[in-house]
Amino acid sequence: MMNSASKNVCHNCGTLNPRTNNKCSYCGHRLRRRGGIFPVVWVKFAWVTLVVFGGAYFIFKPEPKAVSSNNQNTSSNTPFPSPTHVKGVTATTYHAIADVPNVPEGTFNYGGSTTFAPLRNIAVLVDIQLAHPKFQLRYTEPQTGKPGSGKGVEMLLEGQLSFSLSSRPLKNEEFEKAQQRNFKLEQVPVAIDGIALYVHPELIAQGLKGITLEQARHIFTGKIRNWKEVGGPNVAIAPFSRNLKDGGTVDFFYEHVLAKQSFAASINEVRDTTDSIRKVASTPGGIGYATASEVISQHKIHVLPLAKEANSVFVSPCASLICTATNETAFADGSYPITRRLFVVIKRDGRLDEQAGVAYANMLLSDEGQKFVEQAGFVPIR
């Protein structure tokens, strides 16, 4: 985890980068070298706040107007703090979760991606509750099927949720279904995540060093069936995966690692990451994958280093050999091969559901919220 002294702020998008980076890991903008910690000066005028930071300056607009709870759509007047300059959104920022304005009163259902589980921990929920006592959040699982990004968006479209969480970008058909229901969906990136592959520990003890992305694709599509084909022992490969319909992680893996090639018929289906870890740990040739924050500190399996291509350096999703933290630097600078963004999906209908989704996104994008993101094992997007 990077401390403040080792971070370099991109003056184009506000993303925090390792001090050694020459370019921003998010927008590619050339970074200014830091020679030390600069003083921060806040100058507040009637209509803006000017922040002077080490010679650079940032202008923050006043707090956004509230979202109307009637039928009139006023979403264009309700910005959220995003360094990514999402189309149609005014960039704003807040220091603390308690500073976030226009938080509605009531109980609001949310659900979707299981990747967000570390951000549903008691510390985050208590902090939100203390800051906004009348804003009640209730994580809601589907009545049928398994929780996941796709199911969360489906529930949002059907009016069962106020907002949803997704570990993969929205699909065209999801945008179209929203339009057919007379509202829009907006995906707000709040964190960067890495997907980790993990194997039975004995495979590492018997010589397996890591695999490339192409080898990972061939393993899960059935073209590679024995670990000796990738530098490991003469042991049959036993791949484990959730069903493609179940979640954003498997959907992302299918599209970006398998290049939309079908999973092998030999895949052993599991319900969730916990089930996958347990089965990989008990199967000599086992291999599975999950969001990196879910598999760190899991001593019954071994997280596998990856390389983008043959003859490339293997990069681990772990920050150290004992794997008690994610490799935040590699996720941020793109040297780890499988990274993605995590989204809060907002229902833009001009009503309370929209207001709740915007408020929650604001909270995670605040300075305080981004610290929770980092503590959860993800990379802050700001």
Side-chain angles (χ1 to χ4, degrees), residues 33-353:
R33 287 292 185 181
R34 292 184 55 180
I37 299 177
F38 299 116
V40 179
V41 180
W42 293 77
V43 183
K44 189 160 187 176
F45 299 95
W47 56 281
V48 297
T49 298
L50 178 67
V51 183
V52 181
F53 179 78
Y57 64 89
F58 302 87
I59 297 177
F60 297 109
K61 296 183 178 180
E63 293 181 347
K65 298 177 182 179
V67 177
S68 172
S69 59
N70 56 28
N71 291 332
Q72 183 180 3
N73 192 330
T74 59
S75 60
S76 61
N77 294 325
T78 310
F80 57 83
S82 171
T84 56
H85 306 293
V86 179
K87 184 177 180 181
V89 176
T90 304
T92 316
T93 190
Y94 303 102
H95 175 64
I97 288 175
D99 296 334
V100 174
N102 306 323
V103 179
E105 296 181 7
T107 299
F108 300 93
N109 292 345
Y110 74 114
S113 174
T114 57
T115 297
F116 275 78
L119 282 171
R120 297 199 307 270
N121 68 46
I122 190 66
V124 180
L125 295 177
V126 166
D127 201 74
I128 292 175
Q129 188 68 56
L130 291 174
H132 304 281
K134 296 182 180 180
F135 182 61
Q136 304 287 329
L137 291 176
R138 181 170 59 193
Y139 183 79
T140 306
E141 292 200 2
Q143 294 181 351
T144 59
K146 301 171 185 177
S149 298
K151 197 67 175 179
V153 174
E154 178 185 320
M155 293 171 69
L156 183 62
L157 290 168
E158 295 297 331
Q160 299 173 30
L161 302 177
S162 295
F163 60 90
S164 67
L165 310 173
S166 181
S167 58
R168 52 116 173 126
L170 291 171
K171 299 178 180 293
N172 288 337
E173 56 265 32
E174 292 168 337
F175 284 115
E176 292 168 0
K177 287 180 180 179
Q179 289 182 333
Q180 292 168 6
R181 289 162 171 77
N182 298 316
F183 59 84
K184 296 181 180 180
L185 294 180
E186 184 170 349
Q187 53 188 8
V188 182
V190 295
I192 298 172
D193 176 39
I195 293 179
L197 282 84
Y198 46 90
V199 297
H200 191 284
E202 283 300 313
L203 293 173
I204 303 299
Q206 296 177 64
L208 181 64
K209 303 297 184 183
I211 59 175
T212 66
L213 284 183
E214 182 180 47
Q215 290 171 337
R217 179 166 60 253
H218 289 169
I219 286 172
F220 282 89
T221 57
K223 295 180 181 178
I224 294 178
R225 298 176 179 272
N226 193 295
W227 285 110
K228 68 180 180 181
E229 299 178 60
V230 291
N234 184 13
V235 176
I237 295 175
F240 292 87
S241 175
R242 294 168 66 190
N243 189 287
L244 183 55
K245 299 178 181 179
D246 285 347
T249 300
V250 61
D251 191 282
F252 185 93
F253 193 83
Y254 165 73
E255 290 197 6
H256 297 276
V257 179
L258 303 193
K260 296 186 178 180
Q261 297 180 35
S262 299
F263 279 96
S266 59
I267 289 288
N268 301 284
E269 189 171 312
V270 291
R271 183 186 188 280
D272 52 27
T273 301
T274 301
D275 187 28
S276 176
I277 290 173
R278 180 174 58 82
K279 289 181 178 178
V280 168
S282 61
T283 306
I287 180 173
Y289 62 93
T291 185
S293 61
E294 292 182 308
V295 298
I296 57 174
S297 300
Q298 297 286 343
H299 302 300
K300 293 183 178 181
I301 47 94
H302 195 289
V303 178
L304 198 60
L306 298 178
K308 292 183 178 180
E309 54 191 16
N311 300 320
S312 296
V313 176
F314 286 123
V315 180
S316 174
C318 301
S320 65
L321 290 175
I322 57 175
C323 198
T324 56
T326 54
N327 192 345
E328 184 178 311
T329 299
F331 291 175
D333 64 21
S335 58
Y336 183 73
I338 316 177
T339 58
R340 58 180 175 171
R341 295 193 294 172
L342 305 181
F343 304 92
V344 174
V345 182
I346 297 172
K347 182 179 182 179
R348 289 292 191 180
D349 62 355
R351 301 186 178 187
L352 282 177
D353 283 347

